[in-house]
Amino acid sequence: MASSTYTPAFPSDRAVDDKIKSYIANFYATSDDRSKNEEWVDYFLPDAVVIMGDKAAKGTQEIRQLRQGMWELVESRRHKPEKVFPATFEGTGADGDGDGVAAEYMLHGSLDLVMKTGESSAISWAGRAVLRDVDGKLKYQLYQVYMHKKLT
């Protein structure tokens, strides 16, 4: 399991499956490791949609290309997911039928980047995610992130 520094806070008034908590923490640990491109891509369903800022990808190949592009100018990155806001919607999922939806949640955190030029940057972000359970394995159906460079 990922380091506890990748584990965000979850609401205290509702139970969240430990499998989902681990999945989220491990996802961000994998995100910060440039050598784990294929492992990162494997977090998504073959027809998943990923939107990060103004970049979007649908399907495994486009997601792989997006991931590779994320490291072109970046030397290192460190995600700090802060809080997750899970929700359950009766009979509705990303596609409106709720079939196989394990979790839908909003979250926010920060990201520290070191560029290949040596410049450092801090970004605050918020996102929306839809997780599906496929044969007992969690996968993202949708992962969308809104980013804002922190003021210094």
Side-chain angles (χ1 to χ4, degrees):
M1 181 169 161
S3 162
S4 63
T5 60
Y6 285 104
T7 303
F10 287 84
S12 58
D13 63 346
R14 68 178 289 160
V16 178
D17 188 328
D18 286 341
K19 182 177 176 180
I20 292 171
K21 291 179 180 181
S22 293
Y23 186 88
I24 292 170
N26 289 333
F27 174 73
Y28 289 106
T30 300
S31 292
D32 290 347
D33 188 335
R34 73 170 45 254
S35 71
K36 294 189 175 181
N37 282 352
E38 286 307 309
E39 290 92 333
W40 190 85
V41 171
D42 193 47
Y43 276 87
F44 301 92
L45 288 169
D47 62 346
V49 173
V50 177
I51 303 167
M52 292 190 180
D54 62 352
K55 294 178 175 45
K58 182 173 183 178
T60 302
Q61 188 55 35
E62 288 182 16
I63 292 169
R64 182 177 289 114
Q65 291 170 343
L66 176 71
R67 167 67 178 188
Q68 290 167 346
M70 290 166 47
W71 286 101
E72 285 179 0
L73 303 175
V74 175
E75 183 62 35
S76 67
R77 61 171 32 98
R78 178 67 171 91
H79 284 86
K80 297 175 188 169
E82 294 174 25
K83 292 182 181 177
V84 174
F85 306 88
T88 303
F89 300 96
E90 286 293 322
T92 62
D95 57 6
D97 68 5
D99 183 43
V101 173
E104 183 165 350
Y105 59 87
M106 302 291 289
L107 72 163
H108 73 90
S110 62
L111 171 64
D112 294 325
L113 295 170
V114 177
M115 309 308 284
K116 289 183 177 177
T117 62
E119 179 187 354
S120 294
S121 180
I123 296 171
S124 60
W125 55 266
R128 174 179 174 231
V130 176
L131 276 175
R132 291 196 179 274
D133 188 324
V134 180
D135 299 325
K137 190 169 183 182
L138 295 174
K139 297 278 186 172
Y140 283 117
Q141 176 68 52
L142 171 71
Y143 184 72
Q144 183 172 11
V145 179
Y146 305 88
M147 297 176 272
H148 186 270
K149 190 170 184 175
K150 288 185 176 180
L151 299 175
T152 54

